Amino acid sequence: MTVLEQLKELIAQSVPEIDIATVTPESSLKNDLGLDSLSTMMISMLIEEKFGFNFDGEINFETVGDLCEYIEKKI
């Protein structure tokens, strides 16, 4: 399973109203998916647990692809 597929599952867990089939690497976390600070924090905690690392500093990613790249570099 790719990082993108795993990330989409985590997004579905924390924001079930998002249609994961429409999520692409180009999807904007804020504008397309509507993630607010609470849902971003929830997803970040799920990512840290799933992939076994802690985020360095502020979590400020524009797209799903940006987040995937970061995860791939950390694991």
Side-chain angles (χ1 to χ4, degrees):
M1 183 178 283
T2 67
V3 169
L4 177 60
E5 291 168 332
Q6 293 176 72
L7 181 57
K8 287 169 77 170
E9 285 184 355
L10 297 177
I11 291 169
Q13 286 178 22
S14 56
V15 190
E17 61 271 10
I18 292 175
D19 179 6
I20 294 303
T22 65
V23 176
T24 67
E26 294 79 26
S27 297
S28 167
L29 296 170
K30 184 177 181 180
N31 297 326
D32 296 329
L33 303 183
L35 300 184
D36 59 14
S37 58
L38 180 60
S39 53
T40 300
M41 185 170 68
M42 190 165 180
I43 290 170
S44 66
M45 290 173 17
L46 291 171
I47 290 169
E48 289 176 340
E49 183 179 314
K50 172 122 182 131
F51 294 103
F53 70 85
N54 292 322
F55 282 96
D56 300 326
E58 185 178 337
I59 301 167
N60 192 18
F61 300 98
E62 290 292 318
T63 67
V64 171
D66 294 339
L67 188 50
C68 282
E69 287 178 29
Y70 181 86
I71 294 169
E72 289 169 347
K73 289 178 184 175
K74 295 295 273 184
I75 57 174

Coordinates of all heavy atoms in Angstrom, one line a residue:
M1 N 0.9 -1.2 0.0 CA 0.0 0.0 0.0 C 0.9 1.2 0.0 O 1.8 1.3 0.8 CB -0.9 0.0 1.2 CG -1.9 1.1 1.3 SD -3.0 1.0 2.7 CE -4.2 -0.2 2.1
T2 N 0.6 2.2 -0.9 CA 1.4 3.4 -1.0 C 1.2 4.3 0.2 O 0.1 4.2 0.9 CB 1.1 4.1 -2.3 OG1 -0.2 4.7 -2.2 CG2 1.3 3.2 -3.5
V3 N 2.1 5.3 0.4 CA 1.9 6.3 1.4 C 0.6 7.1 1.1 O -0.2 7.4 2.0 CB 3.1 7.3 1.5 CG1 2.8 8.5 2.3 CG2 4.3 6.5 2.0
L4 N 0.3 7.4 -0.2 CA -0.9 8.1 -0.5 C -2.2 7.4 -0.1 O -3.1 7.9 0.5 CB -0.9 8.4 -2.0 CG -2.2 9.1 -2.5 CD1 -2.4 10.5 -1.9 CD2 -2.2 9.3 -4.1
E5 N -2.2 6.0 -0.4 CA -3.3 5.2 0.0 C -3.5 5.2 1.5 O -4.6 5.3 2.0 CB -3.2 3.8 -0.6 CG -3.3 3.7 -2.1 CD -2.8 2.4 -2.7 OE1 -2.0 1.7 -2.0 OE2 -3.3 2.1 -3.7
Q6 N -2.4 5.1 2.2 CA -2.5 5.0 3.7 C -3.0 6.4 4.2 O -3.8 6.4 5.2 CB -1.1 4.7 4.3 CG -0.7 3.2 3.9 CD 0.7 2.9 4.4 OE1 0.8 2.8 5.6 NE2 1.6 2.8 3.5
L7 N -2.5 7.5 3.6 CA -2.9 8.8 4.1 C -4.4 9.0 3.8 O -5.1 9.6 4.6 CB -2.0 9.8 3.3 CG -2.3 11.3 3.7 CD1 -2.1 11.5 5.2 CD2 -1.4 12.2 2.9
K8 N -4.8 8.6 2.7 CA -6.3 8.7 2.4 C -7.1 8.0 3.4 O -8.2 8.5 3.8 CB -6.5 8.2 0.9 CG -6.0 9.2 -0.1 CD -6.0 8.6 -1.5 CE -7.4 8.5 -2.1 NZ -7.4 8.2 -3.6
E9 N -6.7 6.8 3.8 CA -7.4 6.1 4.9 C -7.4 6.9 6.2 O -8.5 6.9 6.9 CB -6.7 4.7 5.1 CG -7.0 3.7 4.1 CD -6.4 2.3 4.4 OE1 -5.7 2.2 5.4 OE2 -6.7 1.4 3.6
L10 N -6.3 7.5 6.5 CA -6.3 8.3 7.7 C -7.2 9.5 7.6 O -7.8 9.9 8.6 CB -4.8 8.7 8.1 CG -3.8 7.6 8.3 CD1 -2.5 8.1 8.6 CD2 -4.3 6.8 9.5
I11 N -7.2 10.1 6.5 CA -8.1 11.3 6.2 C -9.6 10.8 6.4 O -10.4 11.5 7.0 CB -7.9 11.9 4.8 CG1 -6.5 12.6 4.8 CG2 -9.0 12.9 4.5 CD1 -6.1 13.0 3.4
A12 N -9.9 9.6 5.9 CA -11.2 9.1 6.0 C -11.6 8.8 7.4 O -12.8 9.0 7.8 CB -11.4 7.8 5.1
Q13 N -10.7 8.4 8.2 CA -10.9 8.1 9.6 C -11.3 9.4 10.4 O -12.1 9.4 11.2 CB -9.7 7.5 10.3 CG -9.5 6.0 10.0 CD -8.3 5.5 10.6 OE1 -7.8 6.0 11.6 NE2 -7.7 4.4 10.1
S14 N -10.5 10.5 10.1 CA -10.7 11.7 10.9 C -11.7 12.7 10.3 O -12.3 13.5 11.0 CB -9.4 12.4 11.0 OG -8.8 12.7 9.8
V15 N -12.0 12.6 9.0 CA -13.0 13.4 8.4 C -13.9 12.6 7.4 O -13.7 12.6 6.2 CB -12.3 14.6 7.6 CG1 -13.4 15.6 7.2 CG2 -11.2 15.3 8.4
P16 N -14.8 11.8 8.0 CA -15.5 10.8 7.2 C -16.4 11.4 6.1 O -16.7 10.7 5.1 CB -16.4 10.1 8.2 CG -16.3 10.8 9.5 CD -15.1 11.8 9.4
E17 N -16.7 12.7 6.1 CA -17.6 13.3 5.1 C -16.8 13.6 3.8 O -17.4 13.9 2.8 CB -18.2 14.6 5.6 CG -17.3 15.7 6.0 CD -16.9 15.6 7.5 OE1 -17.2 14.6 8.2 OE2 -16.3 16.6 7.9
I18 N -15.5 13.4 3.8 CA -14.7 13.6 2.6 C -14.8 12.4 1.7 O -14.6 11.3 2.2 CB -13.2 13.9 2.9 CG1 -13.1 15.3 3.6 CG2 -12.3 13.9 1.7 CD1 -11.7 15.6 4.1
D19 N -15.1 12.6 0.4 CA -15.1 11.5 -0.5 C -13.6 11.2 -0.9 O -13.1 11.9 -1.7 CB -15.9 11.8 -1.7 CG -16.0 10.7 -2.8 OD1 -15.5 9.6 -2.5 OD2 -16.5 11.0 -3.9
I20 N -13.1 10.1 -0.3 CA -11.7 9.8 -0.5 C -11.4 9.5 -2.0 O -10.2 9.7 -2.4 CB -11.3 8.6 0.4 CG1 -11.4 9.1 1.8 CG2 -9.9 8.1 0.1 CD1 -10.6 10.3 2.2
A21 N -12.3 9.0 -2.8 CA -12.1 8.7 -4.2 C -11.7 10.0 -5.0 O -11.1 9.9 -6.0 CB -13.4 8.1 -4.8
T22 N -12.1 11.2 -4.5 CA -11.7 12.4 -5.2 C -10.4 13.0 -4.7 O -10.0 14.0 -5.2 CB -12.8 13.5 -5.0 OG1 -12.9 13.8 -3.6 CG2 -14.2 12.9 -5.4
V23 N -9.8 12.4 -3.7 CA -8.5 13.0 -3.1 C -7.4 12.6 -4.0 O -7.2 11.4 -4.3 CB -8.3 12.5 -1.7 CG1 -6.9 13.0 -1.2 CG2 -9.4 13.0 -0.8
T24 N -6.6 13.6 -4.5 CA -5.4 13.4 -5.3 C -4.2 14.1 -4.6 O -4.4 14.9 -3.7 CB -5.6 14.0 -6.7 OG1 -5.7 15.4 -6.6 CG2 -6.9 13.4 -7.4
P25 N -3.0 13.8 -5.1 CA -1.9 14.5 -4.6 C -2.0 16.0 -4.7 O -1.4 16.8 -3.9 CB -0.7 14.0 -5.4 CG -1.1 12.6 -5.8 CD -2.6 12.7 -6.0
E26 N -2.7 16.5 -5.7 CA -2.9 17.9 -5.9 C -4.0 18.5 -5.1 O -4.1 19.8 -5.0 CB -3.2 18.2 -7.4 CG -2.1 17.8 -8.4 CD -2.0 16.3 -8.7 OE1 -3.1 15.6 -8.6 OE2 -0.9 15.9 -9.0
S27 N -4.7 17.7 -4.4 CA -5.8 18.3 -3.5 C -5.3 19.2 -2.4 O -4.4 18.8 -1.7 CB -6.6 17.1 -2.9 OG -7.2 16.3 -3.8
S28 N -5.8 20.3 -2.3 CA -5.5 21.3 -1.2 C -6.1 20.8 0.1 O -7.3 20.5 0.1 CB -6.0 22.7 -1.6 OG -5.9 23.5 -0.4
L29 N -5.3 20.7 1.1 CA -5.8 20.3 2.4 C -6.9 21.2 2.9 O -7.9 20.8 3.4 CB -4.6 20.2 3.4 CG -3.6 19.1 3.0 CD1 -2.4 19.3 4.0 CD2 -4.1 17.7 3.1
K30 N -6.7 22.5 2.7 CA -7.6 23.5 3.3 C -8.7 23.8 2.3 O -9.9 23.7 2.7 CB -6.9 24.8 3.6 CG -7.8 25.8 4.2 CD -7.0 27.0 4.6 CE -7.9 28.1 5.3 NZ -7.1 29.3 5.7
N31 N -8.4 24.1 1.1 CA -9.4 24.5 0.1 C -10.3 23.4 -0.5 O -11.5 23.5 -0.6 CB -8.8 25.3 -1.0 CG -8.2 26.6 -0.5 OD1 -8.6 27.2 0.4 ND2 -7.1 27.0 -1.2
D32 N -9.6 22.3 -0.8 CA -10.4 21.2 -1.4 C -11.0 20.2 -0.4 O -12.1 19.8 -0.5 CB -9.5 20.3 -2.4 CG -9.0 21.1 -3.6 OD1 -9.7 22.0 -4.0 OD2 -7.9 20.9 -4.0
L33 N -10.2 19.9 0.7 CA -10.7 19.0 1.7 C -11.4 19.7 2.9 O -12.0 19.0 3.7 CB -9.5 18.1 2.2 CG -8.8 17.3 1.1 CD1 -7.7 16.5 1.7 CD2 -9.7 16.5 0.3
G34 N -11.2 21.0 3.0 CA -11.8 21.7 4.1 C -11.3 21.4 5.4 O -12.0 21.6 6.4
L35 N -10.0 21.0 5.5 CA -9.4 20.7 6.8 C -9.2 22.0 7.6 O -8.6 23.0 7.2 CB -8.1 20.0 6.7 CG -8.1 18.6 6.0 CD1 -6.7 18.0 6.0 CD2 -9.1 17.7 6.6
D36 N -9.7 22.0 8.9 CA -9.5 23.1 9.8 C -8.3 22.7 10.7 O -7.8 21.6 10.6 CB -10.7 23.5 10.5 CG -11.3 22.4 11.3 OD1 -10.6 21.3 11.6 OD2 -12.5 22.5 11.7
S37 N -8.0 23.5 11.7 CA -6.9 23.3 12.6 C -7.1 22.0 13.4 O -6.2 21.2 13.7 CB -6.6 24.5 13.5 OG -7.8 24.8 14.3
L38 N -8.4 21.8 13.8 CA -8.7 20.6 14.6 C -8.5 19.3 13.8 O -7.9 18.3 14.3 CB -10.1 20.7 15.2 CG -10.5 19.5 16.1 CD1 -9.6 19.3 17.3 CD2 -12.0 19.6 16.5
S39 N -9.1 19.3 12.6 CA -8.9 18.1 11.8 C -7.5 17.9 11.4 O -7.0 16.7 11.3 CB -9.9 18.1 10.6 OG -9.7 19.3 9.9
T40 N -6.7 18.9 11.1 CA -5.3 18.8 10.8 C -4.6 18.2 12.0 O -3.7 17.3 11.8 CB -4.7 20.2 10.4 OG1 -5.4 20.7 9.3 CG2 -3.3 20.1 10.1
M41 N -4.9 18.6 13.2 CA -4.2 18.1 14.3 C -4.5 16.6 14.5 O -3.7 15.8 14.8 CB -4.6 18.9 15.6 CG -3.8 18.4 16.8 SD -4.0 19.5 18.3 CE -5.7 19.2 18.7
M42 N -5.8 16.3 14.3 CA -6.2 14.9 14.4 C -5.5 14.0 13.4 O -5.0 12.9 13.7 CB -7.7 14.8 14.3 CG -8.3 13.4 14.6 SD -10.1 13.6 14.8 CE -10.5 12.0 15.2
I43 N -5.4 14.4 12.2 CA -4.8 13.7 11.1 C -3.3 13.6 11.4 O -2.7 12.5 11.3 CB -5.0 14.3 9.7 CG1 -6.5 14.1 9.3 CG2 -4.1 13.7 8.7 CD1 -6.9 14.9 8.1
S44 N -2.7 14.6 11.9 CA -1.2 14.6 12.2 C -0.9 13.6 13.3 O 0.1 12.8 13.3 CB -0.7 16.0 12.6 OG -1.3 16.4 13.8
M45 N -1.8 13.5 14.3 CA -1.6 12.5 15.4 C -1.8 11.0 14.8 O -1.0 10.2 15.2 CB -2.6 12.7 16.5 CG -2.3 14.0 17.3 SD -3.5 14.5 18.5 CE -4.5 13.1 18.9
L46 N -2.7 10.8 13.9 CA -2.9 9.5 13.3 C -1.6 9.2 12.4 O -1.2 8.0 12.4 CB -4.1 9.5 12.4 CG -5.5 9.5 13.2 CD1 -6.6 9.7 12.2 CD2 -5.7 8.3 14.0
I47 N -1.1 10.2 11.7 CA 0.1 10.0 10.9 C 1.3 9.6 11.8 O 2.0 8.6 11.5 CB 0.4 11.2 10.1 CG1 -0.7 11.4 9.0 CG2 1.8 11.1 9.4 CD1 -0.6 12.7 8.3
E48 N 1.5 10.3 12.9 CA 2.6 10.0 13.8 C 2.5 8.6 14.3 O 3.5 7.9 14.4 CB 2.6 11.1 14.9 CG 3.1 12.4 14.4 CD 3.0 13.5 15.6 OE1 2.4 13.3 16.6 OE2 3.7 14.5 15.4
E49 N 1.3 8.2 14.7 CA 1.1 6.9 15.2 C 1.3 5.8 14.2 O 2.0 4.8 14.4 CB -0.3 6.8 15.8 CG -0.6 5.5 16.5 CD -2.0 5.4 17.0 OE1 -2.4 6.4 17.7 OE2 -2.7 4.4 16.8
K50 N 0.7 6.0 13.0 CA 0.8 5.0 11.9 C 2.2 4.8 11.4 O 2.7 3.7 11.2 CB -0.1 5.4 10.8 CG 0.0 4.5 9.5 CD -1.3 3.9 9.2 CE -1.1 3.0 8.0 NZ -1.7 1.7 8.2
F51 N 2.9 6.0 11.2 CA 4.2 5.9 10.5 C 5.4 5.9 11.5 O 6.6 5.8 11.1 CB 4.4 7.0 9.5 CG 3.4 6.8 8.3 CD1 2.3 7.6 8.2 CD2 3.7 5.9 7.3 CE1 1.4 7.4 7.2 CE2 2.8 5.7 6.3 CZ 1.7 6.5 6.2
G52 N 5.1 6.2 12.8 CA 6.2 6.1 13.8 C 7.2 7.2 13.9 O 8.4 7.0 14.1
F53 N 6.7 8.4 13.7 CA 7.6 9.6 13.8 C 6.8 10.8 14.3 O 5.6 10.7 14.3 CB 8.3 10.0 12.5 CG 7.3 10.5 11.4 CD1 7.0 11.9 11.4 CD2 6.7 9.7 10.5 CE1 6.1 12.4 10.5 CE2 5.8 10.2 9.5 CZ 5.5 11.6 9.5
N54 N 7.5 11.8 14.8 CA 6.9 13.0 15.2 C 7.2 14.1 14.2 O 8.3 14.2 13.7 CB 7.4 13.5 16.6 CG 6.9 12.5 17.7 OD1 5.8 12.0 17.6 ND2 7.8 12.2 18.6
F55 N 6.2 15.0 14.0 CA 6.4 16.1 13.1 C 7.4 17.1 13.7 O 7.4 17.3 14.9 CB 5.1 16.9 12.8 CG 4.2 16.2 11.8 CD1 3.2 15.3 12.2 CD2 4.4 16.4 10.5 CE1 2.4 14.7 11.3 CE2 3.6 15.7 9.5 CZ 2.6 14.9 10.0
D56 N 8.2 17.7 12.9 CA 9.2 18.7 13.3 C 8.5 20.1 13.2 O 8.3 20.5 12.0 CB 10.5 18.6 12.5 CG 11.2 17.3 12.6 OD1 11.1 16.7 13.6 OD2 11.7 16.9 11.6
G57 N 8.2 20.7 14.2 CA 7.7 22.1 14.2 C 6.2 22.1 13.7 O 5.5 21.2 13.9
E58 N 5.9 23.3 13.1 CA 4.5 23.5 12.7 C 4.1 22.7 11.5 O 4.9 22.5 10.6 CB 4.3 25.0 12.4 CG 2.9 25.4 12.1 CD 2.8 26.9 11.8 OE1 3.7 27.7 12.2 OE2 1.8 27.2 11.1
I59 N 2.9 22.2 11.5 CA 2.4 21.4 10.4 C 1.7 22.4 9.4 O 0.7 22.9 9.7 CB 1.4 20.3 10.9 CG1 2.1 19.4 11.9 CG2 0.8 19.6 9.7 CD1 1.1 18.5 12.6
N60 N 2.4 22.6 8.3 CA 1.9 23.6 7.4 C 2.1 23.1 5.9 O 3.1 23.5 5.3 CB 2.7 24.9 7.6 CG 2.0 26.1 6.9 OD1 0.9 26.0 6.5 ND2 2.7 27.2 6.7
F61 N 1.3 22.2 5.5 CA 1.4 21.7 4.2 C 0.2 22.2 3.3 O -0.9 22.4 3.8 CB 1.3 20.1 4.2 CG 2.4 19.5 5.0 CD1 2.2 19.2 6.3 CD2 3.7 19.4 4.5 CE1 3.2 18.6 7.1 CE2 4.7 18.8 5.2 CZ 4.5 18.5 6.6
E62 N 0.5 22.4 2.0 CA -0.6 23.0 1.1 C -1.4 21.8 0.6 O -2.6 21.9 0.5 CB 0.1 23.8 0.0 CG 0.7 25.1 0.4 CD -0.4 26.1 0.9 OE1 -1.4 26.2 0.2 OE2 -0.1 26.7 1.9
T63 N -0.8 20.8 0.1 CA -1.5 19.7 -0.6 C -1.3 18.4 0.0 O -0.3 18.2 0.8 CB -1.0 19.7 -2.1 OG1 0.3 19.2 -2.2 CG2 -1.2 21.0 -2.8
V64 N -2.1 17.4 -0.4 CA -1.9 16.0 0.0 C -0.5 15.5 -0.5 O 0.1 14.8 0.3 CB -3.1 15.2 -0.6 CG1 -2.8 13.7 -0.3 CG2 -4.4 15.6 0.0
G65 N -0.1 15.9 -1.7 CA 1.2 15.5 -2.2 C 2.3 16.0 -1.3 O 3.3 15.3 -1.1
D66 N 2.2 17.2 -0.9 CA 3.3 17.8 0.0 C 3.4 16.9 1.3 O 4.5 16.6 1.7 CB 2.9 19.2 0.4 CG 2.9 20.2 -0.7 OD1 3.6 19.9 -1.7 OD2 2.3 21.3 -0.5
L67 N 2.3 16.6 1.8 CA 2.3 15.8 3.0 C 2.8 14.4 2.8 O 3.6 13.8 3.6 CB 0.8 15.7 3.6 CG 0.6 15.0 4.9 CD1 1.6 15.6 6.0 CD2 -0.8 15.2 5.4
C68 N 2.5 13.8 1.6 CA 3.0 12.5 1.2 C 4.5 12.5 1.1 O 5.2 11.6 1.6 CB 2.4 12.0 -0.1 SG 0.8 11.4 0.0
E69 N 5.0 13.5 0.5 CA 6.5 13.7 0.3 C 7.2 13.8 1.7 O 8.2 13.2 1.9 CB 6.8 14.9 -0.5 CG 6.5 14.8 -2.0 CD 6.8 16.0 -2.8 OE1 7.7 16.8 -2.4 OE2 6.2 16.2 -3.8
Y70 N 6.6 14.5 2.6 CA 7.2 14.7 3.9 C 7.2 13.3 4.6 O 8.2 12.9 5.2 CB 6.4 15.7 4.7 CG 6.9 15.9 6.1 CD1 7.9 16.9 6.3 CD2 6.4 15.2 7.2 CE1 8.4 17.1 7.6 CE2 6.9 15.4 8.5 CZ 7.9 16.3 8.7 OH 8.4 16.5 9.9
I71 N 6.1 12.6 4.6 CA 6.0 11.3 5.2 C 7.1 10.3 4.6 O 7.8 9.6 5.3 CB 4.6 10.7 5.1 CG1 3.6 11.5 5.9 CG2 4.6 9.2 5.5 CD1 2.2 11.2 5.6
E72 N 7.2 10.3 3.3 CA 8.1 9.4 2.6 C 9.6 9.7 3.0 O 10.4 8.8 3.2 CB 8.0 9.5 1.1 CG 6.7 8.9 0.6 CD 6.3 9.2 -0.8 OE1 7.0 10.1 -1.4 OE2 5.4 8.5 -1.4
K73 N 9.9 11.0 3.3 CA 11.2 11.3 3.7 C 11.5 10.9 5.2 O 12.6 10.6 5.6 CB 11.5 12.8 3.6 CG 11.6 13.3 2.2 CD 11.8 14.8 2.1 CE 11.8 15.2 0.6 NZ 11.8 16.7 0.5
K74 N 10.4 10.9 6.0 CA 10.6 10.5 7.4 C 10.6 9.0 7.7 O 11.1 8.6 8.7 CB 9.4 11.2 8.2 CG 9.4 12.7 8.2 CD 10.6 13.3 8.9 CE 10.3 13.4 10.4 NZ 11.4 14.1 11.1
I75 N 10.0 8.2 6.8 CA 10.0 6.8 7.1 C 11.1 6.0 6.3 O 11.7 6.5 5.5 CB 8.6 6.2 6.7 CG1 8.2 6.4 5.3 CG2 7.5 6.7 7.6 CD1 7.0 5.7 4.8

